[in-house]
Amino acid sequence: MVTDYHLRPSFPDPETYVTLREAAGMAPRSLAAAKRGLPNTIFGVTVVSGDEDDVDDGTVVGMGRLVGDGGTVYQVVDVAVHPDHQGKGLGTRVMDALVDYLDKEAPPSAFVNLFADVDGYYERWGFEPTAPASKGMFLRVTEDGVRGRRE
């Protein structure tokens, strides 16, 4: 059986988002956080499996989105493909759609960044390591709040 895949310019509902991140082995996000954050997506794409006629009822198997202020800074986030559907070029299609959006909508001088957990993948779209010129850092908020804050 050959599965058809279709990209649509939308982002999954919070429940699907949380489930797909978990299936793809990404750091978990709470449903409450997803409900608050997903409406702030600047642009997102969803990969759906199924017949083109039934794409609204298909299974979400991939996603990716852009967040930021829509002018000076954009961040590529949540690029994920369900493991059962990996190796079929779906992640590439997601990234192509996100970069196409940036080509059309991001103004000159916009800064676009991402945190990569794979080596040698995002370079094909022009991304390059920031080190040593700059250093990527992060802070994760836990149930106990922000940790490591210096007084």
Side-chain angles (χ1 to χ4, degrees):
M1 176 177 123
V2 175
T3 302
D4 290 328
Y5 297 102
H6 308 281
L7 255 66
R8 61 182 180 201
S10 63
F11 208 71
D13 61 76
E15 292 81 4
T16 303
Y17 164 83
V18 168
T19 301
L20 185 54
R21 279 188 62 92
E22 182 179 333
M26 298 172 78
R29 299 289 186 259
S30 72
L31 186 56
K35 287 179 178 179
R36 181 189 277 185
L38 293 182
N40 298 309
T41 299
I42 293 172
F43 176 74
V45 293
T46 304
V47 180
V48 178
S49 68
D51 294 330
E52 192 165 14
D53 296 336
D54 296 331
V55 74
D56 291 332
D57 296 325
T59 302
V60 174
V61 299
M63 63 184 179
R65 68 186 184 121
L66 297 170
V67 298
D69 66 13
T72 65
V73 67
Y74 296 80
Q75 185 170 25
V76 176
V77 296
D78 300 322
V79 176
V81 175
H82 192 283
D84 292 346
H85 301 271
Q86 291 177 0
K88 300 173 195 246
L90 301 177
T92 296
R93 289 175 62 186
V94 166
M95 280 301 300
D96 284 346
L98 297 177
V99 171
D100 286 348
Y101 177 89
L102 291 167
D103 281 341
K104 293 174 186 154
E105 302 296 332
S109 82
F111 182 76
V112 181
N113 66 69
L114 60 80
F115 286 97
D117 57 359
V118 293
D119 289 327
Y121 182 72
Y122 295 99
E123 289 81 354
R124 69 179 98 167
W125 291 280
F127 289 92
E128 52 190 75
T130 60
S134 64
K135 177 172 37 174
M137 303 175 90
F138 77 95
L139 173 71
R140 185 156 306 180
V141 179
T142 68
E143 297 280 333
D144 298 327
V146 175
R147 290 290 185 220
R149 190 173 1 175
R150 295 180 184 189
E151 301 295 325

